[in-house]
Amino acid sequence: MTETDVAIIGAGPAGLFAAFECGMLKLNSLLIDALDEVGGQCAALYPEKPIFDIPAHPAIEAGALVAQLERQIAPFATRRLLGRRVEALEGGAGGFCLRTDKGEQVRARAVIIAAGAGAFGPNRPPLAGLAAYEASGAVQYYVRRREDFRGRVVVIAGGGDSAVDWALQLKGIAARVHVVHRRPKFRAAPGSAAQLDEAAARGEIEMVIPYQLHGLHGEDGVLTGVEVAALDGTTRLIEADRLLPFFGLAMDLGPIAQWGLALERHHVRVTPATCETSVPGIFAIGDVATYPGKLKLILQGFSEAAMAAHAIHPIARPGEALHFEYSTTKGVP
Ligand SMILES: Cc1cc2nc3c(=O)[nH]c(=O)nc-3n(C[C@H](O)[C@H](O)[C@H](O)COP(=O)(O)OP(=O)(O)OC[C@H]3O[C@@H](n4cnc5c(N)ncnc54)[C@H](O)[C@@H]3O)c2cc1C
């Protein structure tokens, strides 16, 4: 049984910054995340993509942002339980008990749910034998390192921002890039879709339209080709050794939906001024939280982390006055 002032469920950017805000108020916290590393979507989905709307950073790669957040919370030596999914949350005013899928129990005075999209995972194409190619890395749903694709023949499937952005980013690295989409119009940002058309016109990318994924060719996880089918059923084989299907993320609150919190369309409803949920003592911040006017942006999660930590102080330290102070005044405790 681990004890803490604040249990933070989710170590994405919102959860990491919540650990900082708690530390600044001299509240100890514990970060718990289902993934093996911190950083949430930034680390798992797009570590090498530059983000342009983090205040005071004209551009910062998502992985670098996570590294900076880690540096910022380092003084507090926040404990972590990684590779653990929180399955159960029980209790009420006075204390909560959390249980992970590995059987650990955590007692906390207050809880911050910073679970983002919940147990997010990629939407997988229904292709025979997919698991073996996923295991070998021939089929991947995220680009962790562009360099892994150097010299590869890559098939990218999908019509959204990820498909278009990665086609543009990999064209100078991969030996060849094919983009498979079932219709000529792309859902991606118009500017990116136009760049894709221009790259295709220059022969840098081959468009395979209107086709959809039909089968995988190869043996023992070694991919040699991707079969695609047109709407009339005619098929075509593209020789390739990497497939990147970008069909979006499956969002699922997972166990959080069973914790008796007021929900709104797969999100946790909170009071905007404090980020408290319908259960006193349980707070929600970042992508998982919703209220009128909510923007799913990292910067919004940072601000919500500060509000939640301040609202938690009287719960975790009853009777102790909290004097609002700037960090420039008090420094890092
Ligand atoms: C390709 C892409 C580009 C983006 N670009 C931008 C951008 O330019 N600017 C911007 O502001 N935002 C951008 N975003 C959105 C941004 O990444 C999210 O808003 C942000 O990650 C939300 O942070 P979070 O901490 O709320 O949740 P997340 O980053 O989703 O982290 C939540 C964490 O909670 C964990 N978790 C969930 N349930 C449990 C459980 N039961 N037990 C334990 N752990 C759990 C998950 O494993 C995850 O690690 C982008 C997103 C994507 C996919």
Side-chain angles (χ1 to χ4, degrees):
M1 174 78 81
T2 308
E3 302 221 354
T4 183
D5 290 328
V6 188
I8 303 173
I9 304 171
L16 289 173
F17 197 64
F20 174 79
E21 286 292 327
C22 288
M24 291 296 279
L25 299 182
K26 299 192 177 134
L27 302 174
N28 60 60
S29 65
L30 173 76
L31 283 162
I32 313 166
D33 202 296
L35 303 178
D36 290 326
E37 59 180 359
V38 302
Q41 294 176 48
C42 292
L45 302 185
Y46 60 108
E48 292 188 346
K49 271 198 170 195
I51 307 176
F52 300 101
D53 55 357
I54 301 298
H57 288 278
I60 181 166
E61 285 190 357
L65 175 69
V66 173
Q68 289 288 61
L69 285 165
E70 288 245 64
R71 279 187 58 201
Q72 198 165 19
I73 65 171
F76 305 112
T78 309
R79 288 168 295 164
R80 291 141 194 233
L81 285 176
L82 298 179
R84 268 83 153 194
R85 181 161 123 140
V86 180
E87 292 290 342
L89 170 58
E90 287 157 4
F96 296 91
C97 183
L98 296 79
R99 206 182 58 249
T100 73
D101 58 349
K102 300 268 162 67
E104 291 107 343
Q105 296 199 33
V106 176
R107 276 201 68 78
R109 291 168 193 265
V111 177
I112 295 180
I113 302 175
F120 61 81
N123 287 318
R124 297 178 149 79
L127 300 174
L130 182 66
Y133 296 102
E134 288 177 343
S136 69
V139 175
Q140 299 181 28
Y141 301 95
Y142 319 114
V143 176
R144 305 295 299 274
R145 275 178 11 110
R146 290 187 200 91
E147 275 305 311
D148 294 345
F149 294 85
R150 184 165 293 283
R152 299 288 184 184
V153 181
V154 182
V155 172
I156 291 177
D161 285 310
S162 292
V164 173
D165 288 356
W166 284 120
L168 292 170
Q169 296 220 20
L170 292 179
K171 69 179 167 57
I173 293 173
R176 187 127 198 86
V177 174
H178 303 263
V179 174
V180 177
H181 188 37
R182 62 193 150 86
R183 56 199 181 99
K185 195 162 168 40
F186 281 77
R187 290 187 320 281
S192 312
Q195 282 182 43
L196 182 72
D197 285 339
E198 286 160 21
R202 289 192 297 268
E204 295 167 1
I205 290 172
E206 195 198 328
M207 307 286 252
V208 186
I209 295 171
Y211 281 93
Q212 45 197 2
L213 299 179
H214 189 66
L216 300 171
H217 287 232
E219 232 178 84
D220 296 331
V222 178
L223 185 69
T224 55
V226 175
E227 196 176 338
V228 293
L231 297 181
D232 64 7
T234 52
T235 59
R236 177 182 156 188
L237 182 64
I238 307 168
E239 283 181 19
D241 53 8
R242 288 290 179 272
L243 170 63
L244 292 167
F246 291 119
F247 298 135
L249 284 182
M251 309 234 172
D252 175 11
L253 278 180
I256 298 167
Q258 315 304 321
W259 296 346
L261 306 168
L263 304 178
E264 198 175 310
R265 290 205 210 127
H266 305 292
H267 293 79
V268 178
R269 205 164 70 210
V270 300
T271 304
T274 56
C275 290
E276 196 163 28
T277 67
S278 58
V279 177
I282 303 181
F283 295 73
I285 63 170
D287 276 14
V288 78
T290 192
Y291 49 83
K294 164 80 182 190
L295 291 175
K296 277 195 186 179
L297 286 176
I298 294 167
L299 67 88
Q300 195 97 3
F302 290 163
S303 147
E304 291 160 3
M307 288 192 293
H310 280 80
I312 284 171
H313 190 273
I315 298 172
R317 299 278 183 275
E320 196 178 291
L322 172 64
H323 301 289
F324 179 85
E325 279 178 318
Y326 293 127
S327 67
T328 42
T329 310
K330 65 179 168 186
V332 176

